[in-house]
Amino acid sequence: MTRLTNPQILEAGLRDWRTLLNAIHARYVTGDFETGAEFVAAIAVVADEADHHPDVTLTYPDVRIVLTSHDSGA
């Protein structure tokens, strides 16, 4: 597995994601805490299905996600 560059991430349609410190990061403004919590719950379901678990931070008013792969050396 190879690391994606920012242009490759954008070309893949992942416009909210950026590479920073050997991981890809995204921030989604949810507007309120409850909506953010629902979004985090949905992320948890997909992450378990993929067996690939991001770091997720829930705050008011956004959710921040950091995803890295040990397969590509971070």
Side-chain angles (χ1 to χ4, degrees), residues 2-52:
T2 60
R3 294 182 191 181
L4 296 176
T5 64
N6 280 333
Q8 289 171 319
I9 291 168
L10 292 173
E11 287 173 14
L14 303 172
R15 290 186 178 88
D16 296 317
W17 292 84
R18 297 293 180 270
T19 302
L20 179 65
L21 300 174
N22 295 322
I24 57 173
H25 299 246
R27 175 179 173 257
Y28 295 95
V29 177
T30 57
D32 61 71
F33 197 78
E34 183 177 357
T35 302
E38 292 169 357
F39 182 47
V40 170
I43 291 169
V45 170
V46 173
D48 275 343
E49 289 172 358
D51 195 29
H52 198 82

